[in-house]
Amino acid sequence: MVIAVPERSAASRFADLTARSGLCFGGDYNPEQWPADVWREDARLMREARVNLVTVGVFSWARYEPRPGAREFDWLDEVLDVLDEHGIGVDLATPTASPPPWLGARHPGTLPVDAEGVRLVPGSRNQFSPASSVYREHALAITTDLVVRYANHPAVRMWHVGNEFGQVCYGDEAAAAFREWLRDRYGSVEALDDAWGTAVWSQRYDDWSEVLPPRRMPYHPNPSQALDWRRFCSDQLLGLYRAQRDVIRAHDTERPVTTNLMGFFAGIDPWTWADDLDVVSDDAYPDPGDPQAPADAALTQDLVRSLGGGAPWLLMESATSAVSWRPHNLPKSPERSRLESLQAVARGADGVCFFQWRGSRSGAERFHSSMLPLAGADTRVHRGVRRLGADLERLRPVVGGRVEARVAIVVDWPSWWASGEVARPTDRLDAVDQLRAWHRVLWEHHVVCDLVPPARDLAGYDLVLVPQLYLLEEVAAQALTDAARRGAVLVVGPFTGVADERAHLRTGRFPALLRDVLGVSGEEHAALPDDGVPLDLAPRWPGRPGAGARASVLGELLRADGADVLATYRAGHLAGAPAVTRHGVGQGEAWYVGTVLDQRSTADVLLAALRASAAAPVLPGLPAHPGVEIVRRGDVLFLLNHSPDRALVPVPGPHVDLLTGEPVTGVVDLPGHDAVALVDGPIERTS
Ligand code: GAL
């Protein structure tokens, strides 16, 4: 009798790892850049810094296969053995992000072609076409040999497929693959013509062979074609990820497989990838010069956690100080680097890793910060790394803990893509900027939220925000409507419900499919003058009276069809038209914000919606403390002070700070750029 062994669940693979190791801590390790005698020193210093996981081999293909068909793994045997001897786990990468130069030299078709028709050359990285069958063949061959050799190596704890998938190729092989993808989606050229609306500008295709990627054209591309191209590129890369993942799974069913995503990166739709990752991993490089960086980091972390359905995720890459790829690279203090790491843990990460362990002497990243700078271990940066390693050990009780949210923000990649296509009312409206502005209000007021794709069942949420959903499908509109009817508060932003999934504009008054629930409808989208338009606030406006509310970027000629009007445009093309409305519906409410409000008015609306809902901040009643982030993960209450100034935050206690072991009662005294991780206490000492 054959007893079927059930497949392990994705999340349990990573949970098993962290249950053994505690929070992951480490970074990319590129030993091939250094002579073998450095490897032992690296391992010793890693151990001293409490590093327990390093990502090895991301860019090692040319070292494994210096000439076609060669296999040189001896050096990696030694690296993994040394790491294992020191108790350091390895996240072993498939080296497929950077093929050796010989591949492109012998097979130019493996090299990517850009939208202008230029074939890119080796000498950097990412020099492959995801559509190239020759590239795939070689990539899978080296992956197979690597996996077969190391699947049972005791150092290997996790697998890392490729690096930051995002490559695009517009070449002929990609064009053929695009046509195949379109054939699957539409079946016939006639259906494609219909979906792309090719009656416009004489674009009608008569045969599949005429269909191309949106390469450089004389004038604006067809937005439906451009949208399908984005979908195709994301799917094609996912296929490449899956092919490598499947090779790994054939030889190792136990260890988690992942790849490093890039937060709000437009190149792939992460909602369609998430189920294929055993742990969602993210690379994050907040700009130390950007005052919004902490709020934006929190937003990305909420996305990454939500992608995994709330399961712990992994900060796969970050920087200890400056990066080297911005035009001007501000450094980060060790305190800020630590704070950013703790922020990730607070918002659900079960590990913090950096690019990279030892800094590079040569190559394009020679000025990038690292965990072990070229100046050595006796440095400010490395001392900061050691301090963080100790902190993460103390945070072991956090492992596996979940961040619970009653607020959802809807975010959708195809909608973001389609709303950003050329030739629209304004190119100043960006769906992610709008999302940032709304999320920031929640973050500043210590309200935790999940991000959800459209059409997700919203049953667990009391407040549902839709900052912008240009492309709206029936099933998503139904989910939003159902949420409001059963008692949630729904807040919808401008330029929503404009198009269908083909990026065709819907006919009739907008926002299509949401008019009934919102009790409002519109007939014109109108770009607003550069200095915006003042709003007249109705007496029932929820914010402070007399505040000078302004609309900017885009407005809409709306008509209330049952909703209360809370603000109208005072002047200009939209004078007198509603800008903000509220509509009682079923057990809940539905608000519509038909413009981009100034940040203070955005806060007025969203906080009123929050009060009207059953959702609440982490510590209800606590006034906002500028720069202080408060989030609860499992039993641990994190307070993170992103400002350089000391903050005094009253927190009903008593508590113990896991980071210091000290009791905290009444008021948390938080120095600038510092954090506490509070658990109920104080712990009674029994001896
Ligand atoms: C990431 C990449 C790393 C390294 C890092 C530098 O995008 O995955 O390999 O280049 O940036 O910040």
Side-chain angles (χ1 to χ4, degrees):
M1 190 171 93
V2 180
I3 300 170
V5 180
E7 259 278 287
R8 285 167 121 307
S9 86
S12 76
R13 292 190 177 106
F14 184 58
D16 283 358
L17 191 166
T18 52
R20 284 195 300 271
S21 68
L23 296 173
C24 299
F25 178 50
D28 280 29
Y29 180 41
N30 295 305
E32 66 269 49
Q33 297 179 13
W34 297 92
D37 56 354
V38 175
W39 302 341
R40 283 196 172 270
E41 183 186 72
D42 278 330
R44 180 180 60 79
L45 289 170
M46 285 175 191
R47 194 177 166 83
E48 284 178 19
R50 299 171 158 87
V51 163
N52 58 18
L53 187 75
V54 289
T55 301
V56 176
V58 176
F59 298 112
S60 303
W61 191 345
R63 183 79 190 258
Y64 299 146
E65 190 175 6
R67 60 206 66 82
R71 292 292 182 264
E72 297 191 2
F73 288 127
D74 293 0
W75 67 277
L76 187 65
D77 294 349
E78 191 180 335
V79 168
L80 296 195
D81 289 348
V82 168
L83 291 169
D84 189 43
E85 278 165 32
H86 289 79
I88 293 154
V90 170
D91 168 31
L92 188 57
T94 67
T96 51
S98 196
W102 59 255
L103 187 71
R106 286 173 183 242
H107 306 283
T110 62
L111 295 169
V113 175
D114 72 10
E116 320 259 304
V118 175
R119 193 175 287 285
L120 309 183
V121 299
S124 178
R125 65 180 188 190
N126 306 333
Q127 63 281 358
F128 68 86
S129 163
S132 161
S133 50
V134 174
Y135 162 74
R136 276 183 182 235
E137 202 181 292
H138 284 81
L140 294 184
I142 191 71
T143 295
T144 304
D145 290 352
L146 181 85
V147 171
V148 166
R149 190 174 180 103
Y150 297 108
N152 295 312
H153 195 288
V156 175
R157 306 281 152 78
M158 184 168 7
W159 297 96
H160 184 293
V161 175
N163 192 57
E164 296 189 335
F165 279 91
Q167 296 74 13
V168 184
C169 175
Y170 292 79
D172 291 340
E173 212 170 341
F178 184 38
R179 287 192 281 269
E180 275 311 304
W181 185 92
L182 291 167
R183 229 190 254 269
D184 273 358
R185 188 172 172 90
Y186 297 114
S188 69
V189 182
E190 293 71 34
L192 175 81
D193 277 316
D194 190 40
W196 285 8
T198 56
V200 175
W201 286 356
S202 176
Q203 289 171 353
R204 184 184 166 279
Y205 295 99
D206 193 44
D207 185 86
W208 283 110
S209 62
E210 299 157 8
V211 179
L212 292 170
R215 294 174 179 160
R216 178 143 180 208
M217 303 172 187
Y219 193 44
H220 296 321
N222 177 322
S224 303
Q225 177 187 5
L227 174 61
D228 273 346
W229 173 250
R230 297 269 210 169
R231 288 177 169 131
F232 159 75
C233 288
S234 179
D235 285 358
Q236 177 180 242
L237 289 169
L238 178 56
L240 205 48
Y241 166 83
R242 282 179 176 157
Q244 294 173 63
R245 188 268 323 271
D246 291 349
V247 169
I248 296 167
R249 272 288 157 263
H251 299 279
D252 179 356
T253 55
E254 295 296 308
R255 300 180 183 92
V257 183
T258 190
T259 187
N260 42 350
L261 305 179
M262 292 177 276
F264 286 91
F265 168 66
I268 60 160
D269 174 357
W271 291 119
T272 64
W273 282 60
D275 286 350
D276 283 282
L277 309 178
D278 292 326
V279 51
V280 178
S281 312
D282 190 58
D283 294 353
Y285 292 95
D287 183 351
D290 176 2
Q292 299 308 330
D296 288 347
L299 169 61
T300 302
Q301 291 157 4
D302 289 344
L303 168 72
V304 176
R305 186 186 66 250
S306 302
L307 286 169
W313 55 279
L314 181 58
L315 178 56
M316 185 63 91
E317 287 184 27
S318 53
T320 56
S321 183
V323 298
S324 55
W325 39 263
R326 293 193 174 100
H328 187 65
N329 298 294
L330 291 188
K332 207 190 289 179
S333 68
E335 291 72 31
R336 277 193 73 175
S337 173
R338 169 179 180 265
L339 183 65
E340 288 176 5
S341 304
L342 297 178
Q343 182 190 24
V345 173
R347 298 188 96 85
D350 264 359
V352 173
C353 298
F354 293 87
F355 177 83
Q356 58 180 332
W357 164 253
R358 186 182 278 274
S360 300
R361 289 172 297 188
S362 59
E365 300 191 298
R366 67 208 180 287
F367 287 111
H368 198 289
S369 61
S370 60
M371 300 173 80
L372 179 64
L374 292 177
D378 184 16
T379 49
R380 185 164 65 162
V381 164
H382 189 70
R383 282 191 289 276
V385 165
R386 287 179 174 224
R387 180 183 181 204
L388 177 61
D391 282 332
L392 295 178
E393 263 190 16
R394 292 187 196 106
L395 289 178
R396 193 175 183 127
V398 172
V399 168
R402 294 218 166 204
V403 177
E404 303 292 343
R406 309 285 301 173
V407 181
I409 308 189
V410 177
V411 58
D412 180 42
W413 259 248
S415 183
W416 179 26
W417 292 332
S419 69
E421 281 307 330
V422 292
R424 52 202 152 112
T426 170
D427 64 7
R428 299 180 194 170
L429 186 71
D430 179 79
V432 172
D433 286 349
Q434 181 79 0
L435 168 65
R436 283 194 188 108
W438 286 32
H439 180 273
R440 205 170 97 207
V441 172
L442 301 180
W443 180 80
E444 283 170 350
H445 291 83
H446 321 137
V447 180
V448 181
C449 67
D450 289 339
L451 270 54
V452 297
R456 177 67 58 86
D457 177 14
L458 297 164
Y461 298 106
D462 301 310
L463 176 64
V464 177
L465 307 183
V466 185
Q468 192 198 113
L469 199 54
Y470 170 84
L471 193 160
L472 181 68
E473 298 186 45
E474 277 78 2
V475 56
Q478 194 59 53
L480 297 173
T481 304
D482 290 348
R485 288 200 194 292
R486 65 137 174 91
V489 176
L490 171 68
V491 188
V492 177
F495 218 39
T496 291
V498 180
D500 66 16
E501 69 282 2
R502 303 166 305 173
H504 291 201
L505 301 197
R506 293 188 184 274
T507 54
R509 300 178 69 84
F510 60 80
L513 312 176
L514 292 177
R515 288 190 302 263
D516 289 348
V517 69
L518 294 170
V520 69
S521 68
E523 60 192 72
E524 284 182 36
H525 291 108
L528 298 181
D530 289 351
D531 56 349
V533 176
L535 295 178
D536 284 325
L537 304 179
R540 272 177 298 184
W541 174 261
R544 290 136 292 193
R550 283 191 93 75
S552 65
V553 181
L554 182 87
E556 297 174 347
L557 184 56
L558 298 178
R559 176 183 79 199
D561 299 327
D564 289 344
V565 177
L566 300 177
T568 52
Y569 298 91
R570 183 179 302 162
H573 186 73
L574 301 174
V580 180
T581 61
R582 179 182 54 203
H583 188 222
V585 44
Q587 306 299 307
E589 289 182 11
W591 295 58
Y592 189 59
V593 181
T595 186
V596 178
L597 292 174
D598 62 276
Q599 194 63 21
R600 182 172 165 169
S601 305
T602 301
D604 286 343
V605 168
L606 298 184
L607 295 177
L610 175 73
R611 285 193 298 274
S613 79
V618 176
L619 295 176
L622 181 77
H625 283 65
V628 177
E629 173 174 340
I630 304 179
V631 55
R632 189 184 298 282
R633 180 173 176 199
D635 296 332
V636 186
L637 180 69
F638 284 87
L639 278 74
L640 305 131
N641 185 4
H642 296 280
S643 98
D645 306 321
R646 175 185 182 206
L648 297 172
V649 187
V651 179
H655 289 106
V656 170
D657 179 9
L658 289 175
L659 293 167
T660 59
E662 297 295 325
V664 178
T665 321
V667 173
V668 178
D669 186 348
L670 210 49
H673 294 150
D674 206 346
V676 290
L678 304 179
V679 287
D680 287 350
I683 299 159
E684 297 290 328
R685 294 197 194 279
T686 48
S687 58

